Amino acid sequence: MGFSDLLQEAGGFGRFQWMHVTLISLPGLLMASQNLLNNFVSGVPTHHCSLPANYSLPDYQIDEKQLVKAFIPLDPSGNRLDRCRRYVEPQWHLLVTNGSANVSHLKTEECLDGWTFDHSEFLATTISEWGLVCSLRPLKQMIQTIYMGGVLTGAIIYGGLSDRFGRRSVLIWSYLQLAILGCSAALSPTYSVYCIFRFLCGMAVSGIIINGVSLKVEWIPTKERTLVGTLTSFFFTFGQLILAGLAYWLRDWRKLQVVVCVPYFLFFAYSWWFAESARWLVLNRRSDKALKNLHRVARINGKPINQLTLEVLHSHMKREIDSCQSTLTAYDLVKTRGMRRISICLMAVWFATSFAYYGLVMDLQKFGVSIYVMQLIFGAVDIPSKLLALAALTYLGRRYSQATCLFMSALVIFANIFIPPDMQVLRTLLACLGKGFTSSCFTVVYLYTGELYPTVIRQTGMGFVSTMARTGSMAAPAVLILDEVFPALPSIVYGLEENPLPIIRKMSRYEKVEYVSTETRSQVYL
C-alpha cells in the first residue's frame, strides 16, 4: 500500500480536495492576465510626429486634419500617415483642392518634437507614455522577453526552494510577491524600473504555477488526477476572456496593472488555510506534521482515521522513503540512448510549441481587428481546442496526436503568409485555428511527457523540458521584430519550428510506451 491508499482511507476526492483544488486554481483566472498583459499595457496606439512648436498658418481657413496633411507625409503604402517622419517645411500647397504634387523629393526628418497618439483605442500605454515607437519600437517586445526571463529564473529558484522549504510556504510567498510588486509596477516612473518589476513578477508567477500544481496533485488520488488536471486548465482559458473584458473596460495601463494584481492579496490571505503536502513532510522527516494534516483532511471529508499512527504512515510510504535515498539528476535524462532520444525530442516539442504559441498571442494588433475582440476570440478558441486534444488522445494515441497538432499548426501559420492584408476575416480565422492547434499541442505534451518519463525521474524531466518552453517564450517576442526586415519573416520562423517530422521519425519506437507500467518504463530507459 502507498500514499494513495491513505488518501482513499481519508475520503478520496472528498470535500477537502474540492475546496483545496478550487482555491488553488482560482488564481489561474489571472495567470493569463500576467502572461498576456503586455498586449494591452504596451499596446501601440495610432500615432504620428508632433507638429513643430512654431509655424505660420496660411491666410485661408484650414481644419486640424488638413493641418496634419501639410506636415506629415503618407507612409509607403499610401493609405495612412507616416508614423516616424515629418516634412522639414510645411507643404501648404498639398492642401489645394484637387491639387497633386510629386512629394518624393520633399525633405523629411525624424520626430524631433515627439509623437501625437490617438486615444480612441487606448487611453494610456507604456508606448505612449515613454515614446517606445520608431527606433525604440523593439523595447516593447523586450518587456515581454524580460518577463519570460523572470518566469524561467523563478522556475529554477522556486523549484529548488520548494523542495527545501515546502510547496505551501513558497506558494504563499509567491502570492505576496506578485501582489506587492505587481501593484508597484503600476507606479513605475521609467521604462527600466517597469522592466525590473515585470521580471520579479515573472518569478512570482513561476512560483505560483509550479507549487500550485504540486500542491494540488499531491493531495489528489491517482485515478482522479487526469480529470482534475483537465478541468482546472480551463481556469487559464476563462482568464483570457476576463483579460479582454478588463482591458476594454479600463484602457489605462496603470489601472489594468493594479486590477490584475490586487486580487493576489486575497489569494495570499486565504492561502494560509492550505495543507502542506504530506508526502513532502514525510520525506523531509516531519512525519508528525504530515500525520496531523492527514487527520485534518479526513476530518473535513467526514471520514476520520483515528487508527492512523506514525508507524502505519511510515509503512505505507516505505517505498517512497527508500526511493528518495538515491537521487537521480538531470544527467540521467541523457545518460542512456533511449532516455537521450526522448529528452531531445521533448525539448524540441516544448520549445517549438511555446515559441509558436507566444508568437501568435503576443501580436494581436497585426490582424487589423480590434485587439479586444481578438483577445476574446483567442481565449474562446481554447475551449474546443482542449476538447479536440482529449478526443485525439483517446482515438489517435499520444504520438500521432502530438504530430498532428504540430503539423496543422505549422500549416495554418504558413498559409496565413499568403493571405493578402485586406482579407482580414480569413487572416483572423487562420490565426485562430493556429492558436487553437498550438493550445492543443500544449495539452498533449503535458500528458505525453509525464507518461514517457519514469516516476523516479519524472519531476526532473518535467522541469528540464519546461525550461525549454520558457526559453521559447522568451525568444518569441524578439522574433516579432523581424517584421521590419520582411513582414512575413516571423510567420516563416514560427511555422518552421512547428515541423513535426522529427517527432514522427525519432519517437516511433516508443509509440506504445504510454501503455506500459512504471516499472517497465524504468527498466527500458534507465
Side-chain angles (χ1 to χ4, degrees):
M1 296 178 69
F3 184 75
S4 293
D5 301 292
L6 284 178
L7 287 180
Q8 291 296 343
E9 291 183 20
F13 195 84
R15 187 184 304 129
F16 170 83
Q17 278 74 17
W18 277 109
M19 295 169 60
H20 201 246
V21 168
T22 301
L23 292 177
I24 293 178
S25 299
L26 277 177
L29 292 173
L30 294 175
M31 281 294 102
S33 297
Q34 296 298 325
N35 290 343
L36 307 178
L37 189 63
N38 203 50
N39 275 333
F40 302 97
V41 165
S42 298
V44 183
T46 301
H47 59 276
H48 59 75
C49 294
S50 295
L51 305 187
N54 298 313
Y55 57 86
S56 299
L57 291 173
D59 297 334
Y60 48 88
Q61 187 77 18
I62 59 174
D63 58 26
E64 184 177 351
K65 187 175 181 180
Q66 289 178 313
L67 184 63
V68 171
K69 183 179 178 181
F71 282 92
I72 310 297
L74 297 177
D75 67 0
S77 69
N79 297 322
R80 64 184 184 184
L81 297 176
D82 195 295
R83 296 186 173 190
C84 300
R85 307 290 295 181
R86 71 181 185 185
Y87 293 123
V88 175
E89 298 291 339
Q91 308 299 316
W92 303 118
H93 64 281
L94 298 178
L95 306 184
V96 178
T97 305
N98 297 326
S100 61
N102 182 11
V103 298
S104 60
H105 68 283
L106 298 177
K107 293 183 178 180
T108 61
E109 62 185 2
E110 296 180 353
C111 301
L112 303 180
D113 298 296
W115 293 267
T116 298
F117 293 93
D118 176 43
H119 298 290
S120 61
E121 189 172 26
F122 306 101
L123 296 179
T125 69
T126 60
I127 304 299
S128 61
E129 183 162 334
W130 295 318
L132 305 181
V133 293
C134 299
S135 62
L136 298 180
R137 181 170 170 259
L139 293 182
K140 173 198 171 179
Q141 305 300 345
M142 188 59 65
I143 296 175
Q144 184 68 12
T145 298
I146 290 172
Y147 168 78
M148 286 301 178
V151 175
L152 174 60
T153 305
I156 298 171
I157 294 177
Y158 288 145
L161 290 178
S162 65
D163 287 336
R164 182 174 181 181
F165 298 106
R167 288 82 164 98
R168 176 178 174 271
S169 300
V170 178
L171 180 60
I172 292 174
W173 168 258
S174 297
Y175 285 148
L176 183 61
Q177 178 178 331
L178 185 55
I180 294 176
L181 297 181
C183 292
S184 299
L187 304 176
S188 301
T190 64
Y191 171 83
S192 299
V193 173
Y194 181 69
C195 287
I196 292 172
F197 278 124
R198 286 298 289 163
F199 179 86
L200 297 174
C201 286
M203 290 182 61
V205 166
S206 196
I208 292 171
I209 293 174
I210 291 174
N211 294 285
V213 170
S214 296
L215 205 56
K216 280 190 294 188
V217 167
E218 292 175 1
W219 278 113
I220 299 175
T222 304
K223 65 180 182 179
E224 280 91 5
R225 287 179 185 174
T226 301
L227 178 60
V228 172
T230 302
L231 292 177
T232 55
S233 69
F234 280 96
F235 279 85
F236 185 87
T237 299
F238 294 134
Q240 297 180 60
L241 306 180
I242 292 174
L243 173 61
L246 290 175
Y248 180 79
W249 171 45
L250 297 170
R251 303 196 181 210
D252 183 287
W253 77 272
R254 294 186 186 272
K255 293 178 182 178
L256 181 60
Q257 181 75 44
V258 171
V259 167
V260 299
C261 293
V262 161
Y264 285 92
F265 283 109
L266 173 62
F267 304 145
F268 167 75
Y270 73 60
S271 63
W272 294 90
W273 178 84
F274 297 157
E276 181 58 89
S277 167
R279 271 195 181 98
W280 179 87
L281 290 169
V282 172
L283 298 179
N284 285 270
R285 299 185 178 90
R286 297 175 60 183
S287 300
D288 52 340
K289 180 65 175 178
L291 184 65
K292 182 178 179 181
N293 283 352
L294 280 168
H295 280 295
R296 175 193 172 199
V297 170
R299 185 172 63 255
I300 294 175
N301 286 339
K303 291 190 175 183
I305 43 177
N306 298 322
Q307 73 277 11
L308 180 61
T309 63
L310 287 176
E311 291 74 17
V312 175
L313 178 61
H314 287 157
S315 66
H316 277 68
M317 297 190 62
K318 185 177 185 303
R319 178 181 297 179
E320 294 184 56
I321 295 173
D322 292 339
S323 66
C324 76
Q325 303 301 321
S326 56
T327 304
L328 296 175
T329 64
Y331 173 69
D332 293 284
L333 296 173
V334 294
K335 186 176 181 180
T336 64
R337 183 178 180 182
M339 285 295 292
R340 185 163 52 248
R341 185 184 295 265
I342 290 296
S343 295
I344 292 174
C345 289
L346 286 176
M347 285 168 57
V349 174
W350 278 84
F351 179 88
T353 302
S354 182
F355 183 72
Y357 181 87
Y358 283 100
L360 284 172
V361 301
M362 294 310 301
D363 196 18
L364 300 183
Q365 289 184 281
K366 70 180 180 182
F367 300 107
V369 181
S370 169
I371 188 173
Y372 307 105
V373 175
M374 282 303 301
Q375 179 61 57
L376 199 65
I377 296 173
F378 268 27
V381 78
D382 265 14
I383 298 175
S385 72
K386 290 180 184 295
L387 298 177
L388 174 66
L390 291 176
L393 286 168
T394 303
Y395 295 105
L396 296 180
R398 278 54 166 161
R399 184 171 66 94
Y400 285 111
S401 297
Q402 189 73 75
T404 301
C405 291
L406 286 169
F407 177 77
M408 293 303 298
S409 178
L411 184 64
V412 170
I413 293 173
F414 273 129
N416 222 355
I417 298 174
F418 305 100
I419 305 301
D422 56 336
M423 300 180 66
Q424 292 298 340
V425 175
L426 183 56
R427 286 176 59 84
T428 303
L429 176 61
L430 289 177
C432 292
L433 287 174
K435 200 263 186 178
F437 282 118
T438 311
S439 298
S440 298
C441 289
F442 262 126
T443 303
V444 175
V445 77
Y446 266 105
L447 178 61
Y448 201 11
T449 303
E451 291 178 335
L452 285 175
Y453 281 129
T455 303
V456 290
I457 201 172
R458 182 174 297 135
Q459 284 299 100
T460 303
M462 288 291 290
F464 184 68
V465 296
S466 64
T467 298
M468 295 305 300
R470 305 306 177 199
T471 305
S473 62
M474 289 175 61
V479 172
L480 293 174
I481 303 173
L482 295 177
D483 66 354
E484 294 184 354
V485 179
F486 180 59
L489 193 54
S491 295
I492 294 173
V493 175
Y494 295 136
L496 289 174
E497 284 293 328
E498 291 283 79
N499 181 12
L501 292 180
I503 308 305
I504 299 174
R505 183 171 61 251
K506 293 191 176 182
M507 297 182 72
S508 59
R509 62 182 294 188
Y510 304 110
E511 181 177 11
K512 301 300 182 182
V513 166
E514 66 246 35
Y515 306 112
V516 302
S517 67
T518 298
E519 291 74 14
T520 304
R521 259 184 281 138
S522 300
Q523 293 171 5
V524 170
Y525 295 139
L526 299 178

